[in-house]
Amino acid sequence: MDILYVLIAIGLIHCTLFFFDTIFKSCCHFPYIYLLENSGLEVQLMRIKWFTTTFNRKIMKWGMNRSKFWTTWFNAGVIISIILLLIVMIEILRVTFNICSVGLTVQKNSPVLLKPMLPGVDMPLNEIGYYLITLAMCIIFHELGHALAAVREDVQLYGVGILLVFVIPIAYVNMNSEQFVSLPLRNQLRIMCAGVWHNIILAAIAATILVLSTWFWAPLYDLHSGVYVKSILPNSPSKGSTGLLEHDVIYKLNDCPVKHSDDWSNCILNIIRQPTPGYCVQQSFIQEYDESVASRQKNNEVVNCCTLDNELSGSLCFEYIEGPQAAPLHLPPHSCLPVRTMIDQSPNYCQASYECSSPDTHCIKPSLDNITKIVQIKRKVGKDVLVLGYPADIYRTVDVSDWVPKYSFLNPKIPESLVLLCKYVTMFSAGLAAINVVPCFFSDGQYIINILVLYVSHVIPLREHTRQVLTLTITSIGTIFLSINIVYLLMNKLV
């Protein structure tokens, strides 16, 4: 529902801007009209357009410098883009046939070519900033490729702009179309492939930074040595006088080692799913610390053998893992023991008494319901933290990071932000390159395939009508197949 409210709010903002734009123009509000003309803004229903010539001189300067480098650069872009076009088309045909074979019904773990990221659906809304920055970077880098290639081929550049259609930003380059059409086909191909090529390069740069981030931050941060506690909510069950603190480094949950955040979530999930573990406890300890009273049955078959004062002081009722009948004759079937003292002296966890090494040691487990567990959180500094409750509450209320600072003045937010941004840029830029190279209407692929058909017609003579039909057929097939994939993916996401 959060994403629905966001979309409604954006729609209301568009309607409000269009309403005031219509009012000011109809009233000939000259300051407003002057503002639009000088800023390059244009407001339409559900669309906002911005166009500028400010960057023309800079782009021309970049494009005309090092001409040999740019020629090699854009020639490489043509080769890589055509290879990508073939790979994407083969893959999109394969995936589309798989989808059609099972129908458009939602199938889990089905093969997909594209994986859209929808804010509020499969992307947290608190990462919307990364989402917007990534979109801006990918689109600007894409259009910059077209602009530089056009300048390099002596095509007049009128300006650049951004069109916001509801929530979808579209950057564009306005250049002299007559000069573009008059170019040789290979020069046209350099211009049209430049956007896809630049997106591939941007994705490669982001992926390289992502791979090298561990090495780059190694002097300042530790990785795979535990998780760093960034923040704890006030209602967290792990809080308390001996509870977790911010900046703690956790390396184990019960007997589950924690090296990074994936281990953190997996260990908590395992604790929830697996039966409550027992503890190996010596007979002498039970005899010394047992303060049990007459056992009484509680809800959910839970047995209580402790007084209220014992429970308030940190004691809990334990029973033998094989059942009360397995208790030795000289020991009670249920024992009220101090939890922390018992866990501190227990050498290991167990699920049966034979797992305890010493013959005078028994495997006992806390008498709890199915969802309540004892979670032992081991940290590098300070005593272990014991949490009695539902383990999911720990995961929900404790925010951890893979990046463990080596110095107290450092914060894991810096490397986290860079890594997350690189992940978004890698996925979005590669995805934008793949979508744009598909020969479908209103994409670079439409123009690329048109130029390639003209190339083929030089080798195999084709009539103009045949060329047009062939181009239209390929573009229509690409559009239909891409649309099927997008509809199928949205159904998987939203249904």
Side-chain angles (χ1 to χ4, degrees):
M1 294 299 293
D2 290 339
I3 186 62
L4 179 61
Y5 294 141
V6 171
L7 293 177
I8 291 174
I10 293 173
L12 291 175
I13 292 172
H14 273 286
C15 292
T16 303
L17 290 175
F18 181 71
F19 172 77
F20 283 107
D21 177 76
T22 305
I23 294 294
F24 288 152
K25 285 180 178 177
S26 62
C27 297
C28 294
H29 193 278
F30 292 107
Y32 177 73
I33 297 174
Y34 178 81
L35 173 66
L36 293 181
E37 291 176 351
N38 285 272
S39 63
L41 284 171
E42 182 181 347
V43 180
Q44 300 173 348
L45 183 61
M46 297 298 170
R47 298 200 308 173
I48 300 174
K49 183 180 179 181
W50 176 69
F51 181 79
T52 182
T53 59
T54 306
F55 307 107
N56 287 14
R57 182 172 297 181
K58 198 68 175 178
I59 293 173
M60 291 177 65
K61 182 179 178 181
W62 290 345
M64 297 310 295
N65 287 340
R66 300 182 180 182
S67 57
K68 290 184 179 179
F69 166 78
W70 286 122
T71 301
T72 306
W73 176 261
F74 290 119
N75 282 338
V78 171
I79 296 171
I80 298 299
S81 297
I82 293 175
I83 293 173
L84 180 64
L85 186 150
L86 295 174
I87 294 173
V88 171
M89 282 305 298
I90 292 172
E91 187 64 17
I92 203 170
L93 286 171
R94 184 187 67 83
V95 173
T96 303
F97 286 133
N98 287 339
I99 292 173
C100 293
S101 64
V102 298
L104 285 177
T105 55
V106 177
Q107 300 284 331
K108 290 186 178 181
N109 301 320
S110 57
V112 294
L113 176 65
L114 305 171
K115 292 185 179 180
M117 300 285 288
L118 301 178
V121 178
D122 54 5
M123 186 194 76
L125 284 177
N126 59 0
E127 295 180 4
I128 191 70
Y130 297 97
Y131 181 85
L132 296 176
I133 292 172
T134 299
L135 277 181
M137 288 178 61
C138 294
I139 292 172
I140 291 171
F141 214 71
H142 178 98
E143 297 303 328
L144 180 61
H146 288 309
L148 288 173
V151 169
R152 176 70 187 85
E153 303 298 337
D154 291 327
V155 176
Q156 183 181 1
L157 181 67
Y158 294 137
V160 296
I162 296 177
L163 178 65
L164 181 65
V165 181
F166 194 58
V167 294
I168 302 174
I170 303 172
Y172 63 94
V173 175
N174 194 353
M175 57 185 173
N176 191 311
S177 58
E178 293 180 358
Q179 292 180 359
F180 172 78
V181 173
S182 65
L183 290 173
L185 293 179
R186 65 176 181 275
N187 300 58
Q188 293 183 30
L189 206 54
R190 288 174 190 161
I191 296 175
M192 296 316 304
C193 291
V196 172
W197 171 235
H198 274 219
N199 278 130
I200 294 171
I201 292 298
L202 181 61
I205 292 172
T208 302
I209 295 174
L210 189 61
V211 171
L212 297 178
S213 60
T214 303
W215 172 83
F216 178 77
W217 293 106
L220 302 176
Y221 295 88
D222 282 326
L223 276 175
H224 309 301
S225 62
V227 293
Y228 178 84
V229 178
K230 294 193 296 183
S231 62
I232 308 173
L233 294 180
N235 63 337
S236 176
S238 63
K239 267 186 170 294
S241 57
T242 59
L244 272 181
L245 300 172
E246 292 183 2
H247 314 309
D248 276 342
V249 179
I250 300 169
Y251 67 93
K252 187 175 281 190
L253 293 176
N254 287 353
D255 58 345
C256 183
V258 176
K259 294 183 178 180
H260 43 73
S261 56
D262 287 341
D263 288 343
W264 166 259
S265 56
N266 289 335
C267 286
I268 291 180
L269 189 60
N270 288 337
I271 292 172
I272 294 172
R273 290 177 174 176
Q274 294 175 356
T276 302
Y279 303 88
C280 292
V281 181
Q282 293 183 344
Q283 292 185 17
S284 57
F285 179 85
I286 297 175
Q287 291 171 336
E288 180 179 354
Y289 286 92
D290 178 35
E291 297 182 353
S292 59
V293 295
S295 301
R296 57 187 184 279
Q297 193 82 14
K298 296 171 66 176
N299 295 332
N300 300 322
E301 299 182 356
V302 176
V303 175
N304 185 18
C305 61
C306 295
T307 63
L308 181 59
D309 291 338
N310 291 142
E311 291 178 344
L312 293 176
S313 64
S315 294
L316 197 63
C317 187
F318 290 83
E319 64 182 11
Y320 293 88
I321 202 83
E322 291 88 354
Q325 66 279 1
L329 296 177
H330 56 280
L331 291 176
H334 296 90
S335 302
C336 181
L337 302 173
V339 178
R340 178 172 290 278
T341 308
M342 186 273 298
I343 290 178
D344 288 343
Q345 67 83 44
S346 177
N348 60 281
Y349 294 92
C350 58
Q351 291 294 344
S353 289
Y354 68 84
E355 296 179 6
C356 300
S357 55
S358 177
D360 61 343
T361 304
H362 303 278
C363 187
I364 62 174
K365 67 174 183 178
S367 181
L368 300 170
D369 57 43
N370 292 331
I371 63 171
T372 305
K373 304 289 176 69
I374 296 177
V375 182
Q376 184 180 6
I377 305 175
K378 296 188 177 183
R379 49 187 176 177
K380 291 191 174 180
V381 178
K383 295 196 302 182
D384 295 350
V385 176
L386 299 180
V387 179
L388 177 64
Y390 186 43
D393 291 337
I394 303 173
Y395 181 81
R396 182 179 54 82
T397 58
V398 179
D399 188 19
V400 299
S401 171
D402 288 333
W403 301 87
V404 180
K406 292 184 177 180
Y407 306 98
S408 58
F409 62 88
L410 293 175
N411 192 296
K413 188 66 177 176
I414 299 172
E416 275 186 340
S417 300
L418 179 62
V419 167
L420 186 57
L421 181 62
C422 286
K423 287 181 180 178
Y424 272 110
V425 172
T426 302
M427 291 187 296
F428 274 66
S429 193
L432 188 61
I435 290 177
N436 259 287
V437 83
V438 175
C440 65
F441 296 109
F442 309 112
S443 75
D444 292 344
Q446 176 185 4
Y447 301 99
I448 293 173
I449 205 70
N450 182 44
I451 297 171
L452 291 177
V453 170
L454 288 173
Y455 253 121
V456 172
S457 66
H458 290 171
V459 180
I460 305 173
L462 297 174
R463 294 181 180 179
E464 183 179 354
H465 176 71
T466 305
R467 291 200 309 267
Q468 292 176 352
V469 170
L470 181 60
T471 302
L472 180 62
T473 302
I474 296 173
T475 306
S476 301
I477 291 173
T479 304
I480 293 170
F481 283 8
L482 183 62
S483 300
I484 291 173
N485 277 266
I486 292 174
V487 170
Y488 181 76
L489 286 169
L490 290 176
M491 289 174 62
N492 273 299
K493 294 290 183 183
L494 300 177
V495 176

